[in-house]
Amino acid sequence: MNSHMTPEEFRRHGYAAVDWIADYMTNVADRPVVSEAAPGDVRAALPPHPPEKGEPFENLLSDLDDIILPGITHWQHPGFFGFFPANASGPAILGDLLTGGLNVVGMLWWASPAATELEEHVMDWMADLLDLPERFRSGGPGGGVIQDTASSAVLVVLLAALNRATGGRARAEGVSGRFAVYGSDQAHSALEKNVRVAGLGESAMRLVRTDPATLAMDPEHLRELIEADVRDGVLPVMVMATVGSTSTTAVDPVPRIGALCREFGIWLHIDAAFAGVAAVCPEFRWIHEGVSEFADSYCTNPHKWMLTTVGSSTLWVADRGAVIEALSILPAFLRNRATESGQVVDYRDWQIPLGRTFRALKLWAVLRWYGAEGVRAHVRHHVALAQEFALWVTDDERFELVAPHPLSLVCFRMRGADSRTERLLELLNADGRIFVSQTRVNGHLAIRFAIGATTIDTEHVATAWQVIRDLADRAGTCEMERT
Ligand code: PLP
Protein backbone atom coordinates (compact mmCIF):
# COMPACT_ATOMS: atom_id res chain seq x y z
CA MET A 1 0.00 0.00 0.00
CA ASN A 2 1.27 3.47 -0.80
CA SER A 3 1.16 5.89 2.12
CA HIS A 4 1.06 9.61 1.43
CA MET A 5 3.68 10.81 -1.02
CA THR A 6 6.42 12.26 1.13
CA PRO A 7 7.87 15.67 0.28
CA GLU A 8 11.03 13.91 -0.89
CA GLU A 9 9.05 11.54 -3.12
CA PHE A 10 7.06 14.52 -4.36
CA ARG A 11 10.28 16.31 -5.25
CA ARG A 12 11.52 13.32 -7.25
CA HIS A 13 8.25 12.68 -9.08
CA GLY A 14 7.68 16.40 -9.49
CA TYR A 15 10.97 16.72 -11.34
CA ALA A 16 9.96 13.79 -13.53
CA ALA A 17 6.57 15.37 -14.25
CA VAL A 18 8.17 18.71 -15.12
CA ASP A 19 10.65 16.87 -17.35
CA TRP A 20 7.72 15.14 -19.00
CA ILE A 21 6.06 18.49 -19.74
CA ALA A 22 9.32 20.02 -21.00
CA ASP A 23 9.81 17.05 -23.34
CA TYR A 24 6.20 17.40 -24.49
CA MET A 25 6.79 21.07 -25.28
CA THR A 26 9.98 20.18 -27.17
CA ASN A 27 8.42 17.40 -29.24
CA VAL A 28 4.80 18.39 -29.69
CA ALA A 29 5.42 19.63 -33.24
CA ASP A 30 6.47 16.11 -34.29
CA ARG A 31 3.13 14.58 -33.37
CA PRO A 32 0.00 14.49 -35.54
CA VAL A 33 -2.03 17.53 -34.48
CA VAL A 34 -5.36 15.76 -34.25
CA SER A 35 -5.89 12.62 -32.21
CA GLU A 36 -6.48 9.57 -34.37
CA ALA A 37 -8.36 7.81 -31.57
CA ALA A 38 -11.69 6.24 -32.43
CA PRO A 39 -14.55 6.52 -29.95
CA GLY A 40 -13.92 4.15 -27.05
CA ASP A 41 -10.20 3.59 -27.77
CA VAL A 42 -8.98 5.39 -24.67
CA ARG A 43 -11.44 3.71 -22.33
CA ALA A 44 -10.69 0.30 -23.79
CA ALA A 45 -7.07 0.75 -22.72
CA LEU A 46 -7.99 1.57 -19.12
CA PRO A 47 -8.64 -1.06 -16.43
CA PRO A 48 -12.35 -1.45 -15.70
CA HIS A 49 -11.90 -1.01 -11.94
CA PRO A 50 -9.80 1.35 -9.84
CA PRO A 51 -6.54 -0.10 -8.50
CA GLU A 52 -6.92 -1.86 -5.19
CA LYS A 53 -3.31 -1.22 -4.31
CA GLY A 54 -1.50 2.02 -4.90
CA GLU A 55 0.95 2.08 -7.80
CA PRO A 56 4.29 3.76 -8.45
CA PHE A 57 3.92 7.24 -9.95
CA GLU A 58 6.11 6.12 -12.86
CA ASN A 59 3.21 3.95 -14.06
CA LEU A 60 1.06 7.01 -14.44
CA LEU A 61 3.67 8.79 -16.54
CA SER A 62 4.12 5.80 -18.79
CA ASP A 63 0.33 5.47 -19.24
CA LEU A 64 0.27 9.14 -20.08
CA ASP A 65 2.58 8.31 -22.98
CA ASP A 66 0.91 5.08 -24.03
CA ILE A 67 -2.80 5.63 -23.42
CA ILE A 68 -3.46 9.32 -23.05
CA LEU A 69 -1.23 10.98 -25.65
CA PRO A 70 -2.75 9.01 -28.56
CA GLY A 71 -6.10 10.44 -27.46
CA ILE A 72 -4.87 14.02 -27.31
CA THR A 73 -5.46 16.68 -29.94
CA HIS A 74 -2.50 18.95 -29.46
CA TRP A 75 -3.70 22.47 -28.82
CA GLN A 76 -0.10 23.56 -28.26
CA HIS A 77 1.00 22.24 -31.67
CA PRO A 78 2.15 24.93 -34.12
CA GLY A 79 -0.15 23.28 -36.69
CA PHE A 80 -3.22 23.87 -34.53
CA PHE A 81 -5.31 26.55 -36.26
CA GLY A 82 -8.79 25.49 -35.16
CA PHE A 83 -11.37 27.11 -32.86
CA PHE A 84 -9.61 29.84 -30.94
CA PRO A 85 -6.24 29.07 -29.41
CA ALA A 86 -5.70 28.12 -25.79
CA ASN A 87 -2.06 29.01 -25.74
CA ALA A 88 -0.17 27.89 -22.65
CA SER A 89 3.22 29.00 -21.39
CA GLY A 90 5.85 27.84 -18.91
CA PRO A 91 4.99 30.46 -16.27
CA ALA A 92 1.27 29.63 -16.48
CA ILE A 93 1.89 25.90 -16.10
CA LEU A 94 4.17 26.53 -13.13
CA GLY A 95 1.51 28.88 -11.76
CA ASP A 96 -0.95 25.96 -11.96
CA LEU A 97 1.52 23.77 -10.10
CA LEU A 98 1.99 26.34 -7.36
CA THR A 99 -1.77 26.85 -7.15
CA GLY A 100 -2.15 23.14 -6.51
CA GLY A 101 0.73 23.25 -4.05
CA LEU A 102 -1.07 25.78 -1.87
CA ASN A 103 -4.54 24.48 -2.72
CA VAL A 104 -6.48 27.14 -0.87
CA VAL A 105 -10.17 27.76 -1.46
CA GLY A 106 -10.41 31.52 -1.88
CA MET A 107 -14.16 31.88 -1.42
CA LEU A 108 -13.80 34.51 1.32
CA TRP A 109 -11.06 37.04 1.94
CA TRP A 110 -10.73 35.44 5.40
CA ALA A 111 -10.16 31.99 3.86
CA SER A 112 -6.83 33.22 2.43
CA PRO A 113 -6.38 36.97 2.22
CA ALA A 114 -3.60 36.76 -0.37
CA ALA A 115 -5.77 34.82 -2.81
CA THR A 116 -8.31 37.66 -2.85
CA GLU A 117 -5.93 40.59 -2.69
CA LEU A 118 -3.65 39.26 -5.41
CA GLU A 119 -6.72 38.78 -7.61
CA GLU A 120 -7.95 42.32 -6.99
CA HIS A 121 -4.48 43.61 -7.74
CA VAL A 122 -3.85 41.54 -10.85
CA MET A 123 -7.28 42.52 -12.18
CA ASP A 124 -6.33 46.18 -11.74
CA TRP A 125 -3.08 45.46 -13.58
CA MET A 126 -5.02 43.80 -16.39
CA ALA A 127 -7.42 46.77 -16.54
CA ASP A 128 -4.35 48.99 -16.91
CA LEU A 129 -2.95 46.83 -19.67
CA LEU A 130 -6.21 46.78 -21.61
CA ASP A 131 -6.91 50.45 -20.91
CA LEU A 132 -10.25 49.69 -19.26
CA PRO A 133 -12.08 52.48 -17.44
CA GLU A 134 -11.39 53.56 -13.86
CA ARG A 135 -14.86 52.50 -12.74
CA PHE A 136 -13.89 48.85 -13.40
CA ARG A 137 -10.98 49.06 -10.98
CA SER A 138 -11.01 48.05 -7.35
CA GLY A 139 -10.66 51.66 -6.16
CA GLY A 140 -13.98 52.66 -7.77
CA PRO A 141 -17.56 51.37 -7.65
CA GLY A 142 -16.76 48.27 -9.68
CA GLY A 143 -14.00 45.72 -9.77
CA GLY A 144 -12.62 42.64 -11.43
CA VAL A 145 -12.92 38.94 -10.75
CA ILE A 146 -11.50 35.88 -12.46
CA GLN A 147 -14.14 33.41 -13.61
CA ASP A 148 -13.47 29.90 -14.91
CA THR A 149 -14.91 30.71 -18.34
CA ALA A 150 -16.53 33.51 -20.31
CA SER A 151 -19.77 31.50 -20.20
CA SER A 152 -19.83 31.71 -16.40
CA ALA A 153 -19.13 35.42 -16.68
CA VAL A 154 -22.24 35.81 -18.85
CA LEU A 155 -24.39 34.05 -16.25
CA VAL A 156 -23.06 36.20 -13.42
CA VAL A 157 -23.78 39.46 -15.21
CA LEU A 158 -27.10 38.24 -16.57
CA LEU A 159 -28.30 37.50 -13.04
CA ALA A 160 -27.09 40.91 -11.88
CA ALA A 161 -28.78 42.59 -14.85
CA LEU A 162 -32.01 40.71 -14.23
CA ASN A 163 -32.05 41.68 -10.58
CA ARG A 164 -31.36 45.29 -11.43
CA ALA A 165 -33.99 45.39 -14.19
CA THR A 166 -36.64 43.99 -11.82
CA GLY A 167 -35.72 46.28 -8.94
CA GLY A 168 -34.62 43.29 -6.83
CA ARG A 169 -37.68 41.15 -7.56
CA ALA A 170 -35.65 38.50 -9.37
CA ARG A 171 -33.72 37.79 -6.20
CA ALA A 172 -36.69 38.02 -3.88
CA GLU A 173 -39.39 36.27 -5.87
CA GLY A 174 -37.73 34.66 -8.87
CA VAL A 175 -38.69 35.46 -12.41
CA SER A 176 -42.20 35.83 -13.66
CA GLY A 177 -43.28 37.92 -16.60
CA ARG A 178 -41.68 38.39 -19.97
CA PHE A 179 -38.05 39.34 -20.46
CA ALA A 180 -35.74 39.99 -23.37
CA VAL A 181 -31.99 39.53 -23.75
CA TYR A 182 -30.27 40.72 -26.91
CA GLY A 183 -27.19 39.56 -28.79
CA SER A 184 -26.33 39.53 -32.45
CA ASP A 185 -26.89 36.48 -34.64
CA GLN A 186 -23.10 36.05 -34.35
CA ALA A 187 -23.04 36.17 -30.53
CA HIS A 188 -21.65 33.17 -28.71
CA SER A 189 -24.15 30.44 -27.85
CA ALA A 190 -23.20 30.94 -24.18
CA LEU A 191 -25.69 33.79 -24.16
CA GLU A 192 -28.65 31.68 -25.18
CA LYS A 193 -27.61 28.89 -22.85
CA ASN A 194 -27.45 31.25 -19.91
CA VAL A 195 -30.79 32.80 -20.79
CA ARG A 196 -32.13 29.27 -20.30
CA VAL A 197 -30.11 28.67 -17.14
CA ALA A 198 -31.43 31.93 -15.68
CA GLY A 199 -34.95 30.60 -16.15
CA LEU A 200 -35.97 33.15 -18.77
CA GLY A 201 -36.59 30.56 -21.46
CA GLU A 202 -35.47 30.52 -25.07
CA SER A 203 -38.30 32.84 -26.01
CA ALA A 204 -36.48 35.65 -24.16
CA MET A 205 -33.59 35.48 -26.60
CA ARG A 206 -33.50 38.17 -29.30
CA LEU A 207 -31.10 37.67 -32.16
CA VAL A 208 -30.16 40.98 -33.66
CA ARG A 209 -29.34 41.07 -37.37
CA THR A 210 -25.78 41.68 -38.49
CA ASP A 211 -24.40 43.59 -41.42
CA PRO A 212 -23.47 41.03 -44.10
CA ALA A 213 -20.19 42.82 -44.88
CA THR A 214 -18.88 43.39 -41.36
CA LEU A 215 -20.90 40.71 -39.54
CA ALA A 216 -21.32 43.25 -36.74
CA MET A 217 -24.60 43.91 -34.95
CA ASP A 218 -27.01 46.25 -36.69
CA PRO A 219 -27.94 48.85 -34.05
CA GLU A 220 -31.03 49.91 -36.00
CA HIS A 221 -32.42 46.41 -35.73
CA LEU A 222 -31.54 46.36 -32.04
CA ARG A 223 -33.57 49.55 -31.59
CA GLU A 224 -36.52 48.02 -33.43
CA LEU A 225 -36.44 44.92 -31.25
CA ILE A 226 -36.16 46.89 -28.01
CA GLU A 227 -38.96 49.26 -28.96
CA ALA A 228 -41.23 46.37 -29.94
CA ASP A 229 -40.51 44.66 -26.61
CA VAL A 230 -41.18 47.78 -24.59
CA ARG A 231 -44.45 48.28 -26.50
CA ASP A 232 -45.47 44.70 -25.77
CA GLY A 233 -44.73 44.92 -22.06
CA VAL A 234 -41.60 42.76 -22.28
CA LEU A 235 -38.77 43.84 -19.96
CA PRO A 236 -35.38 44.31 -21.69
CA VAL A 237 -32.72 42.89 -19.38
CA MET A 238 -29.35 42.86 -21.07
CA VAL A 239 -27.60 43.43 -24.37
CA MET A 240 -24.46 41.46 -25.04
CA ALA A 241 -22.20 43.13 -27.58
CA THR A 242 -19.42 41.01 -29.01
CA VAL A 243 -15.90 42.26 -29.55
CA GLY A 244 -14.38 39.55 -31.71
CA SER A 245 -17.10 37.07 -32.60
CA THR A 246 -16.35 33.37 -32.47
CA SER A 247 -17.15 32.86 -36.09
CA THR A 248 -15.06 35.66 -37.64
CA THR A 249 -13.85 38.13 -34.93
CA ALA A 250 -16.46 40.66 -35.97
CA VAL A 251 -16.63 43.67 -33.66
CA ASP A 252 -20.04 45.08 -32.78
CA PRO A 253 -20.49 48.88 -32.82
CA VAL A 254 -20.35 49.37 -29.06
CA PRO A 255 -20.76 53.18 -29.06
CA ARG A 256 -24.13 52.98 -30.84
CA ILE A 257 -25.25 49.92 -28.91
CA GLY A 258 -24.17 51.57 -25.68
CA ALA A 259 -26.13 54.72 -26.43
CA LEU A 260 -29.25 52.61 -26.95
CA CYS A 261 -28.66 50.72 -23.70
CA ARG A 262 -28.35 54.01 -21.89
CA GLU A 263 -31.52 55.36 -23.48
CA PHE A 264 -33.53 52.33 -22.39
CA GLY A 265 -31.69 51.62 -19.12
CA ILE A 266 -30.44 48.20 -20.24
CA TRP A 267 -27.33 46.46 -18.90
CA LEU A 268 -24.57 46.28 -21.51
CA HIS A 269 -22.20 43.33 -21.32
CA ILE A 270 -19.20 43.14 -23.62
CA ASP A 271 -18.09 39.66 -24.60
CA ALA A 272 -14.49 39.99 -25.78
CA ALA A 273 -13.60 36.45 -24.76
CA PHE A 274 -11.01 35.96 -27.46
CA ALA A 275 -10.18 39.35 -28.96
CA GLY A 276 -10.07 41.55 -25.86
CA VAL A 277 -6.45 40.86 -25.01
CA ALA A 278 -5.43 42.48 -28.30
CA ALA A 279 -6.07 45.78 -26.54
CA VAL A 280 -2.71 45.39 -24.77
CA CYS A 281 -1.40 46.93 -28.01
CA PRO A 282 -2.35 50.59 -28.50
CA GLU A 283 -2.85 50.02 -32.22
CA PHE A 284 -5.66 47.51 -31.49
CA ARG A 285 -7.40 49.56 -28.78
CA TRP A 286 -10.00 50.63 -31.31
CA ILE A 287 -11.75 47.34 -30.51
CA HIS A 288 -12.68 48.90 -27.15
CA GLU A 289 -14.31 51.97 -28.60
CA GLY A 290 -17.35 52.75 -26.45
CA VAL A 291 -16.43 50.34 -23.66
CA SER A 292 -15.22 53.04 -21.25
CA GLU A 293 -18.30 55.10 -21.82
CA PHE A 294 -21.06 52.53 -21.85
CA ALA A 295 -20.19 49.04 -20.60
CA ASP A 296 -21.68 47.69 -17.38
CA SER A 297 -19.48 44.65 -17.63
CA TYR A 298 -16.68 43.33 -19.79
CA CYS A 299 -15.01 39.94 -20.15
CA THR A 300 -11.94 38.59 -21.91
CA ASN A 301 -10.13 35.27 -21.51
CA PRO A 302 -6.40 35.28 -20.87
CA HIS A 303 -6.75 31.52 -21.33
CA LYS A 304 -7.45 31.95 -25.00
CA TRP A 305 -4.83 34.33 -26.36
CA MET A 306 -2.78 35.46 -23.39
CA LEU A 307 -0.55 32.49 -22.62
CA THR A 308 -2.50 31.44 -19.53
CA THR A 309 -3.71 27.88 -19.03
CA VAL A 310 -7.45 27.14 -19.12
CA GLY A 311 -9.53 28.52 -16.24
CA SER A 312 -8.71 32.21 -16.55
CA SER A 313 -11.54 34.44 -17.71
CA THR A 314 -11.30 38.01 -16.51
CA LEU A 315 -14.58 39.82 -15.82
CA TRP A 316 -15.00 43.43 -14.75
CA VAL A 317 -18.17 45.13 -13.61
CA ALA A 318 -18.83 48.83 -13.28
CA ASP A 319 -21.05 48.37 -10.21
CA ARG A 320 -19.97 45.53 -7.96
CA GLY A 321 -23.00 46.23 -5.73
CA ALA A 322 -25.31 44.95 -8.49
CA VAL A 323 -23.49 41.62 -8.67
CA ILE A 324 -23.24 41.23 -4.91
CA GLU A 325 -26.91 42.07 -4.45
CA ALA A 326 -27.89 39.37 -6.93
CA LEU A 327 -25.53 36.65 -5.74
CA SER A 328 -24.55 37.24 -2.12
CA ILE A 329 -25.58 34.72 0.47
CA LEU A 330 -24.00 34.38 3.89
CA PRO A 331 -24.88 31.23 5.78
CA ALA A 332 -23.90 30.95 9.45
CA PHE A 333 -20.96 28.70 8.65
CA LEU A 334 -19.27 31.41 6.57
CA ARG A 335 -19.71 34.33 8.97
CA ASN A 336 -16.53 36.08 9.98
CA ARG A 337 -15.32 39.43 11.22
CA ALA A 338 -13.59 40.49 8.02
CA THR A 339 -16.78 40.07 5.98
CA GLU A 340 -18.81 41.88 8.62
CA SER A 341 -16.34 44.77 8.67
CA GLY A 342 -17.29 45.50 5.04
CA GLN A 343 -13.63 46.17 4.30
CA VAL A 344 -12.89 43.11 2.21
CA VAL A 345 -13.93 41.54 -1.07
CA ASP A 346 -15.40 38.04 -0.78
CA TYR A 347 -15.25 36.52 -4.24
CA ARG A 348 -17.92 33.96 -3.37
CA ASP A 349 -20.37 36.79 -4.04
CA TRP A 350 -19.02 37.38 -7.53
CA GLN A 351 -19.52 33.92 -9.01
CA ILE A 352 -21.93 30.98 -9.07
CA PRO A 353 -20.04 28.34 -7.05
CA LEU A 354 -18.75 28.90 -3.56
CA GLY A 355 -15.37 27.24 -3.96
CA ARG A 356 -12.65 28.54 -6.21
CA THR A 357 -8.95 27.99 -6.77
CA PHE A 358 -6.33 30.66 -6.18
CA ARG A 359 -7.08 31.89 -9.68
CA ALA A 360 -4.81 34.91 -9.77
CA LEU A 361 -1.59 33.03 -9.23
CA LYS A 362 -1.01 31.79 -12.77
CA LEU A 363 -2.07 35.08 -14.33
CA TRP A 364 0.38 36.84 -12.00
CA ALA A 365 3.08 34.40 -13.11
CA VAL A 366 2.34 35.14 -16.79
CA LEU A 367 2.31 38.91 -16.33
CA ARG A 368 5.54 38.90 -14.37
CA TRP A 369 7.36 36.60 -16.77
CA TYR A 370 6.38 38.34 -20.01
CA GLY A 371 5.74 41.88 -18.82
CA ALA A 372 3.40 44.08 -20.86
CA GLU A 373 6.05 44.19 -23.54
CA GLY A 374 6.14 40.40 -23.93
CA VAL A 375 2.35 40.12 -24.17
CA ARG A 376 2.27 42.87 -26.78
CA ALA A 377 4.96 41.14 -28.84
CA HIS A 378 3.00 37.87 -28.66
CA VAL A 379 -0.23 39.46 -29.92
CA ARG A 380 1.51 41.50 -32.62
CA HIS A 381 3.34 38.45 -33.91
CA HIS A 382 0.10 36.52 -34.39
CA VAL A 383 -1.69 39.42 -36.02
CA ALA A 384 1.22 39.95 -38.43
CA LEU A 385 1.26 36.25 -39.35
CA ALA A 386 -2.50 36.30 -39.99
CA GLN A 387 -2.24 39.37 -42.19
CA GLU A 388 0.46 37.70 -44.25
CA PHE A 389 -1.61 34.54 -44.54
CA ALA A 390 -4.62 36.58 -45.69
CA LEU A 391 -2.48 38.07 -48.48
CA TRP A 392 -1.54 34.60 -49.66
CA VAL A 393 -5.21 33.62 -49.72
CA THR A 394 -6.10 36.74 -51.69
CA ASP A 395 -3.35 36.05 -54.22
CA ASP A 396 -4.63 32.56 -55.00
CA GLU A 397 -7.58 32.78 -57.35
CA ARG A 398 -9.06 29.51 -56.14
CA PHE A 399 -9.85 31.10 -52.77
CA GLU A 400 -11.71 34.06 -51.35
CA LEU A 401 -11.77 35.72 -47.95
CA VAL A 402 -15.25 35.78 -46.48
CA ALA A 403 -14.96 38.28 -43.63
CA PRO A 404 -12.79 41.10 -42.36
CA HIS A 405 -9.70 39.81 -40.55
CA PRO A 406 -8.48 42.59 -38.29
CA LEU A 407 -6.73 40.28 -35.81
CA SER A 408 -5.35 36.75 -35.96
CA LEU A 409 -8.29 34.83 -37.44
CA VAL A 410 -8.69 34.48 -41.20
CA CYS A 411 -11.87 32.98 -42.66
CA PHE A 412 -11.83 31.87 -46.25
CA ARG A 413 -13.44 29.46 -48.67
CA MET A 414 -12.87 27.94 -52.08
CA ARG A 415 -14.66 29.87 -54.78
CA GLY A 416 -17.66 28.15 -56.30
CA ALA A 417 -19.97 25.64 -54.67
CA ASP A 418 -19.64 24.90 -50.95
CA SER A 419 -18.97 21.28 -51.80
CA ARG A 420 -15.39 22.28 -52.71
CA THR A 421 -14.69 23.82 -49.33
CA GLU A 422 -16.41 20.86 -47.70
CA ARG A 423 -14.15 18.47 -49.60
CA LEU A 424 -11.07 20.50 -48.69
CA LEU A 425 -12.05 20.39 -45.02
CA GLU A 426 -12.47 16.62 -45.22
CA LEU A 427 -9.05 16.27 -46.82
CA LEU A 428 -7.43 18.56 -44.25
CA ASN A 429 -8.95 16.66 -41.36
CA ALA A 430 -7.92 13.31 -42.81
CA ASP A 431 -4.39 14.53 -43.54
CA GLY A 432 -3.71 15.47 -39.92
CA ARG A 433 -0.71 17.78 -40.44
CA ILE A 434 -2.72 20.84 -39.51
CA PHE A 435 -6.02 21.39 -37.77
CA VAL A 436 -8.55 24.00 -38.88
CA SER A 437 -12.19 24.40 -37.95
CA GLN A 438 -15.16 25.68 -39.87
CA THR A 439 -18.03 28.11 -39.75
CA ARG A 440 -20.80 29.49 -41.94
CA VAL A 441 -20.62 33.06 -43.17
CA ASN A 442 -23.54 34.59 -45.05
CA GLY A 443 -24.83 31.11 -45.72
CA HIS A 444 -21.54 29.70 -47.03
CA LEU A 445 -19.24 27.16 -45.48
CA ALA A 446 -15.88 28.68 -44.58
CA ILE A 447 -12.59 27.58 -43.09
CA ARG A 448 -11.47 29.29 -39.88
CA PHE A 449 -7.70 29.65 -39.71
CA ALA A 450 -6.91 30.91 -36.21
CA ILE A 451 -3.29 31.70 -35.51
CA GLY A 452 -2.41 31.45 -31.86
CA ALA A 453 -0.01 28.68 -30.85
CA THR A 454 2.62 29.89 -28.40
CA THR A 455 5.60 28.84 -30.51
CA ILE A 456 4.20 29.50 -33.97
CA ASP A 457 6.34 31.17 -36.59
CA THR A 458 6.25 32.07 -40.28
CA GLU A 459 7.52 28.65 -41.32
CA HIS A 460 4.54 26.93 -39.66
CA VAL A 461 2.04 29.20 -41.36
CA ALA A 462 3.84 28.76 -44.68
CA THR A 463 3.76 24.98 -44.29
CA ALA A 464 0.08 25.10 -43.42
CA TRP A 465 -0.63 27.19 -46.51
CA GLN A 466 1.29 24.70 -48.64
CA VAL A 467 -0.78 21.84 -47.19
CA ILE A 468 -3.99 23.76 -47.89
CA ARG A 469 -2.96 24.53 -51.45
CA ASP A 470 -1.91 20.96 -52.20
CA LEU A 471 -5.13 19.57 -50.82
CA ALA A 472 -7.14 22.24 -52.63
CA ASP A 473 -5.75 20.81 -55.89
CA ARG A 474 -7.12 17.44 -54.86
CA ALA A 475 -10.41 18.95 -53.70
CA GLY A 476 -10.75 20.61 -57.11
CA THR A 477 -9.97 17.34 -58.90
CA CYS A 478 -12.51 15.39 -56.82
CA GLU A 479 -15.05 18.09 -57.54
CA MET A 480 -14.48 17.72 -61.30
CA GLU A 481 -14.80 13.94 -60.99
CA ARG A 482 -18.11 14.34 -59.14
CA THR A 483 -19.61 16.67 -61.73
N1 PLP B 1 -17.49 34.28 -26.31
C1 PLP B 1 -16.72 34.19 -27.40
C2 PLP B 1 -16.66 35.35 -28.36
C3 PLP B 1 -16.00 33.03 -27.64
O1 PLP B 1 -15.28 32.92 -28.75
C4 PLP B 1 -16.09 31.96 -26.72
C5 PLP B 1 -15.35 30.71 -26.96
O2 PLP B 1 -14.64 30.54 -27.91
C6 PLP B 1 -16.90 32.12 -25.59
C7 PLP B 1 -17.59 33.29 -25.42
C8 PLP B 1 -17.04 31.04 -24.59
O3 PLP B 1 -15.87 30.96 -23.86
P1 PLP B 1 -15.71 29.99 -22.62
O4 PLP B 1 -15.30 28.67 -23.19
O5 PLP B 1 -14.63 30.63 -21.79
O6 PLP B 1 -17.00 29.91 -21.91
Side-chain angles (χ1 to χ4, degrees):
M1 187 184 79
N2 271 341
S3 54
H4 294 303
M5 193 181 270
T6 64
E8 276 319 309
E9 286 169 327
F10 175 78
R11 197 183 303 279
R12 186 161 57 82
H13 297 308
Y15 288 151
V18 169
D19 279 343
W20 189 95
I21 298 169
D23 289 344
Y24 177 72
M25 288 170 164
T26 309
N27 300 323
V28 66
D30 302 332
R31 299 178 181 277
V33 189
V34 180
S35 168
E36 285 159 10
D41 277 2
V42 176
R43 291 198 64 180
L46 295 167
H49 303 293
E52 180 59 27
K53 288 186 189 311
E55 298 176 55
F57 191 75
E58 288 82 355
N59 291 9
L60 183 108
L61 288 184
S62 67
D63 282 354
L64 208 51
D65 284 323
D66 299 340
I67 302 175
I68 302 301
L69 277 185
I72 292 290
T73 288
H74 300 286
W75 286 61
Q76 308 310 313
H77 195 295
F80 186 95
F81 299 100
F83 310 125
F84 276 136
N87 49 41
S89 66
I93 297 166
L94 293 175
D96 268 335
L97 181 64
L98 295 167
T99 306
L102 291 171
N103 205 35
V104 300
V105 183
M107 57 202 178
L108 301 164
W109 176 89
W110 180 51
S112 252
T116 298
E117 292 194 16
L118 184 67
E119 187 159 326
E120 289 182 86
H121 209 75
V122 164
M123 288 301 286
D124 280 352
W125 279 7
M126 283 289 295
D128 256 8
L129 279 179
L130 302 179
D131 199 28
L132 292 173
E134 282 302 321
R135 63 205 163 88
F136 283 175
R137 324 254 172 130
S138 60
V145 56
I146 306 178
Q147 304 283 329
D148 54 358
T149 58
S151 306
S152 298
V154 173
L155 182 56
V156 165
V157 297
L158 179 58
L159 294 173
L162 185 59
N163 200 49
R164 189 178 83 174
T166 56
R169 267 192 303 113
R171 175 182 167 148
E173 298 161 20
V175 284
S176 60
R178 289 157 70 216
F179 302 93
V181 175
Y182 310 80
S184 87
D185 56 25
Q186 301 292 307
H188 194 273
S189 53
L191 182 62
E192 188 165 338
K193 188 166 184 178
N194 282 312
V195 164
R196 281 197 247 152
V197 173
L200 304 182
E202 273 168 356
S203 62
M205 189 64 223
R206 302 282 179 277
L207 288 184
V208 187
R209 265 197 313 264
T210 47
D211 177 311
T214 62
L215 300 156
M217 187 190 283
D218 172 1
E220 283 311 312
H221 189 222
L222 176 62
R223 174 181 282 285
E224 281 167 31
L225 290 173
I226 295 173
E227 284 178 349
D229 282 328
V230 171
R231 247 192 337 266
D232 295 348
V234 176
L235 185 63
V237 174
M238 185 174 96
V239 175
M240 185 175 95
T242 303
V243 167
S245 64
T246 313
S247 187
T248 65
T249 59
V251 178
D252 286 343
V254 174
R256 291 188 61 194
I257 296 168
L260 272 174
C261 288
R262 185 163 290 168
E263 183 183 334
F264 289 91
I266 307 173
W267 184 294
L268 174 62
H269 177 59
I270 310 291
D271 176 22
F274 168 69
V277 299
V280 293
C281 304
E283 68 272 31
F284 302 129
R285 292 240 167 102
W286 60 267
I287 63 173
H288 281 173
E289 207 194 339
V291 169
S292 285
E293 214 178 334
F294 295 112
D296 290 290
S297 51
Y298 172 97
C299 174
T300 189
N301 284 2
H303 77 214
K304 287 196 191 309
W305 199 5
M306 215 189 88
L307 300 155
T308 310
T309 43
V310 174
S312 188
S313 178
T314 45
L315 168 69
W316 288 267
V317 290
D319 172 14
R320 59 177 172 267
V323 173
I324 293 170
E325 212 171 297
L327 299 183
S328 180
I329 186 154
L330 186 61
F333 51 80
L334 293 180
R335 285 192 184 279
N336 68 92
R337 281 222 185 113
T339 297
E340 273 150 27
S341 76
Q343 288 181 344
V344 298
V345 163
D346 287 330
Y347 276 127
R348 76 180 205 289
D349 292 340
W350 298 54
Q351 61 175 23
I352 306 301
L354 174 63
R356 66 202 318 271
T357 61
F358 188 165
R359 291 200 179 130
L361 197 46
K362 62 185 175 182
L363 192 50
W364 192 42
V366 168
L367 291 173
R368 293 189 64 176
W369 175 266
Y370 287 95
E373 179 179 270
V375 178
R376 278 187 218 114
H378 164 79
V379 165
R380 283 182 178 134
H381 180 50
H382 290 171
V383 177
L385 290 174
Q387 300 313 309
E388 195 174 4
F389 179 82
L391 285 179
W392 297 339
V393 174
T394 315
D395 283 348
D396 188 321
E397 63 191 14
R398 290 170 301 170
F399 295 99
E400 61 186 352
L401 298 172
V402 296
H405 49 87
L407 299 169
S408 57
L409 171 71
V410 181
C411 297
F412 64 101
R413 65 187 292 275
M414 292 194 75
R415 289 182 193 277
D418 272 356
S419 52
R420 289 185 161 197
T421 306
E422 197 177 339
R423 181 70 190 135
L424 175 56
L425 274 161
E426 277 166 19
L427 292 170
L428 284 166
N429 286 339
D431 178 88
R433 278 176 290 173
I434 64 168
F435 174 61
V436 293
S437 53
Q438 65 188 62
T439 187
R440 290 199 89 79
V441 178
N442 291 322
H444 286 296
L445 184 65
I447 297 176
R448 291 176 75 265
F449 191 82
I451 292 179
T454 307
T455 55
I456 195 162
D457 223 327
T458 312
E459 86 226 36
H460 302 114
V461 183
T463 307
W465 179 231
Q466 194 55 52
V467 171
I468 293 168
R469 286 168 43 136
D470 290 349
L471 294 181
D473 287 340
R474 279 179 46 204
T477 316
C478 299
E479 176 75 10
M480 279 165 61
E481 281 165 6
R482 274 190 204 173
T483 50

